[in-house]
Amino acid sequence: MAAKLILSMNGAVLREYPLNKERMTIGRKAHNDIVIDNLAVSGEHAAVVTIMHDSFLEDLDSTNGLEVNGVPTKKHFLQNNDVIEIGKHKLKYINDQITQTTSADFERTMVMRGPAVPAPAKAGTMKTQARTDQSEPDEQAVNTGKFDAPAAAAKPSAPTAAKPAGQGGTGKVAVVQILTGPNAGKELELVKNLTTLGKPGLQVAVLTRRPQGFFITHVEGAKFPQVNGKALTNQAYQLNDHDVIELAGIKMEFYFKG
């Protein structure tokens, strides 16, 4: 049975919404998948991204924000019986399926902050100088806390799970490398199940690791990201070696190495 959200107000159930799409939006405007006609709700208030049996809630820079189980939040890995509060309305998340992802896989990826770090120099590639606090304001345009995370380049302090096999089970490591903008040359190894890319409030996408490969899904923004010059749709897109992603005005390349 697919996960679902149960909308209620003052204890009265109004409607149930099965989470049968990769991305569903919640808001006051009629084009949303879950429409809550109340002035306390923004036009596009929040989005729920569902990958296999896992669902992730993200506030879309709403005016009044949202709470999960009474705690204000911007991003949240949903678990069975979580209650989302938007104004006087509540959305209860029901999912009796076994999840494939832990909350740490999502939250750590989403909240990392810190100075950008250059990727290790490769043959034929110009070394990138580390950014300083005087970096240009648009340095953050390519990430929501991933490319500027020290953990992306540092060696893990404890043993980690085996990295996923690449295409054809070759065991190669998947990487995203920035091609344009202030962070050009920097790269991120995709070692987590979920990695978000983009600029909050402008354009955000999530990269997910699945048994059959890596997929990109649009999360936030009026315009959809592009892969090899073609705009994505509401559905997840499976990435191939050396695909070029354009997101928030920045181009980056997805490829396997090792």
Side-chain angles (χ1 to χ4, degrees):
M1 182 180 69
K4 62 184 178 181
L5 289 172
I6 302 175
L7 177 65
S8 65
M9 183 177 179
N10 298 325
V13 174
L14 303 179
R15 187 171 174 182
E16 293 188 4
Y17 296 89
L19 298 177
N20 51 15
K21 293 171 59 178
E22 291 261 0
R23 179 178 186 268
M24 295 182 67
T25 56
I26 305 167
R28 190 178 70 255
K29 292 184 179 179
H31 66 265
N32 290 283
D33 299 289
I34 300 176
V35 178
I36 302 178
D37 189 11
N38 187 286
L39 292 178
V41 181
S42 296
E44 283 194 3
H45 201 103
V48 176
V49 176
T50 300
I51 309 294
M52 298 180 72
H53 299 312
D54 301 325
S55 295
F56 310 91
L57 172 72
E58 181 162 11
D59 188 299
L60 299 181
D61 290 328
S62 63
T63 301
N64 295 315
L66 53 81
E67 295 183 355
V68 177
N69 303 328
V71 180
T73 185
K74 285 288 186 181
K75 301 175 177 68
H76 182 76
F77 171 74
L78 289 168
Q79 300 181 67
N80 190 35
N81 292 320
D82 276 351
V83 176
I84 304 165
E85 296 180 52
I86 302 178
K88 294 183 179 180
H89 289 77
K90 294 183 179 181
L91 286 158
K92 187 172 184 178
Y93 175 73
I94 301 296
N95 183 5
D96 57 5
Q97 298 292 315
I98 298 175
T99 62
Q100 304 298 314
T101 305
T102 67
S103 59
D105 281 329
F106 182 63
E107 293 297 339
R108 287 177 189 165
T109 299
M110 301 298 286
V111 302
M112 282 183 176
R113 291 291 183 270
V117 292
K122 298 191 297 182
T125 302
M126 182 181 297
K127 292 184 179 179
T128 306
Q129 294 182 346
R131 308 295 297 183
T132 69
D133 291 339
Q134 312 305 318
S135 300
E136 299 172 43
D138 62 353
E139 181 179 341
Q140 302 300 323
V142 295
N143 66 81
T144 51
K146 268 59 60 188
F147 286 101
D148 56 354
K155 293 182 180 179
S157 57
T160 56
K163 291 175 180 177
Q167 288 182 330
T170 60
K172 294 181 179 180
V173 178
V175 172
V176 170
Q177 184 176 45
I178 304 173
L179 303 178
T180 62
N183 281 322
K186 295 181 177 67
E187 66 178 27
L188 173 69
E189 291 186 0
L190 303 177
V191 296
K192 290 187 176 295
N193 287 333
L194 293 126
T195 304
T196 55
L197 304 171
K199 183 176 181 180
L202 177 63
Q203 198 175 46
V204 176
V206 61
L207 297 183
T208 56
R209 183 181 70 192
R210 306 185 191 180
Q212 61 269 47
F214 286 82
F215 290 75
I216 182 171
T217 304
H218 174 69
V219 173
E220 177 185 349
K223 293 184 178 181
F224 285 74
Q226 294 187 0
V227 176
N228 301 328
K230 295 183 179 180
L232 299 179
T233 66
N234 276 320
Q235 300 302 310
Y237 176 88
Q238 184 169 6
L239 292 167
N240 297 306
D241 200 14
H242 297 297
D243 274 351
V244 175
I245 303 165
E246 186 168 351
L247 181 67
I250 300 295
K251 289 185 178 180
M252 56 196 81
E253 180 182 2
F254 170 87
Y255 63 92
F256 293 93
K257 73 173 184 177

